[in-house]
Amino acid sequence: MNIDLLGAFFVGMMGTGHCIGMCGGISAVISMNTTNSKHPRWLFILLYNCGRILSYSMFGFIIGGVFVSIASTSGSYSALVYLRIFAGILMCLLALYIANWWKGLVYLEVIGKQLWKYISPLTKPLLPLKTPFHAIPFGFLWGWLPCGLVYSTLSWAAVSGGAINGSLIMLAFGIGTLPAMFLVGVGAHALQSFINNLITRNISALLLLTYGTHTVYIALHQLI
């Protein structure tokens, strides 16, 4: 398996505590808006998350394609190497954020809040969710919610070398977030407590910090 895909999956899995904080409450919204449905709530939650992951994959496709085009146009391989260094630094900042050691990554989310003001109203006409399949576009739109975790991983997609690679990295990231987001959505509160446990968060942060530092080291070695 490609190490970047494995790393993106790991980031999604280890960063789930942040995902729950950002998006976990949406399961309550889905629950309130599907109480009269003949379909099980878990199906709405699952398809909502599929829509969310689909939006991540699309982000990766666009970002990966744009940045490889820029690098090809400029003819500078070093530009992608510098971007990889930047991605590694963001990964380290993400580790600090997850462990609550430093919250500087929230400044990245401020950038997305301007766009979210225009996207969030589009979710309201979809409620109440008439069928489980209506949860897919609902989740797709919620995937645009400003999130430092997503933005950090997108920097990885930017240096992936192409649109397809970028899409796969974000897909792997999204799949990494799926198990916990789905289980918490259907009421597995014990899992939420485990993810938010201080020891779990610190171990996750240290692993991410190690991975981010390794990414920067490899990129710097390529410049020598």
Side-chain angles (χ1 to χ4, degrees), residues 91-108:
M91 205 61 58
C92 292
L93 294 179
L94 176 60
L96 301 179
Y97 184 77
I98 288 176
N100 288 322
W101 294 336
W102 188 60
K103 292 290 189 179
L105 203 61
V106 296
Y107 294 110
L108 274 180

Side-chain angles (χ1 to χ4, degrees), residues 1 40 50 84 135 142 163 170 173 185 190 206:
M1 178 182 286
C50 287
R84 183 167 284 274
W142 268 91
M170 293 306 295
F173 162 77
L206 287 172

Side-chain angles (χ1 to χ4, degrees), residues 81-209:
V81 177
Y82 285 119
L83 278 172
R84 183 167 284 274
I85 293 173
F86 177 68
I89 292 172
L90 280 182
M91 205 61 58
C92 292
L93 294 179
L94 176 60
L96 301 179
Y97 184 77
I98 288 176
N100 288 322
W101 294 336
W102 188 60
K103 292 290 189 179
L105 203 61
V106 296
Y107 294 110
L108 274 180
E109 296 175 358
V110 173
I111 300 173
K113 285 180 180 178
Q114 299 304 314
L115 180 61
W116 180 242
K117 288 192 302 185
Y118 298 100
I119 294 177
S120 59
L122 300 177
T123 65
K124 295 179 181 178
L126 294 172
L127 295 175
L129 299 174
K130 297 179 178 63
T131 70
F133 291 102
H134 283 83
I136 296 178
F138 186 70
F140 183 87
L141 291 172
W142 268 91
W144 291 79
L145 182 72
C147 175
L149 182 64
V150 174
Y151 296 161
S152 298
T153 314
L154 275 174
S155 69
W156 211 343
V159 296
S160 63
I164 299 299
N165 288 339
S167 179
L168 290 175
I169 283 176
M170 293 306 295
L171 178 63
F173 162 77
I175 292 174
T177 68
L178 178 59
M181 288 292 290
F182 173 73
L183 290 175
V184 169
V186 297
H189 298 297
L191 177 64
Q192 184 174 359
S193 298
F194 171 76
I195 290 171
N196 289 327
N197 181 272
L198 181 61
I199 295 176
T200 303
R201 292 172 68 93
N202 286 343
I203 291 175
S204 301
L206 287 172
L207 290 173
L208 281 177
L209 189 60

Side-chain angles (χ1 to χ4, degrees), residues 52-106:
R52 179 178 59 83
I53 294 171
L54 179 63
S55 70
Y56 296 162
S57 186
M58 189 191 76
F59 298 159
F61 184 88
I62 295 172
I63 294 295
V66 166
F67 276 89
V68 77
S69 298
I70 292 174
S72 299
T73 303
S74 64
S76 174
Y77 168 77
S78 61
L80 286 178
V81 177
Y82 285 119
L83 278 172
R84 183 167 284 274
I85 293 173
F86 177 68
I89 292 172
L90 280 182
M91 205 61 58
C92 292
L93 294 179
L94 176 60
L96 301 179
Y97 184 77
I98 288 176
N100 288 322
W101 294 336
W102 188 60
K103 292 290 189 179
L105 203 61
V106 296

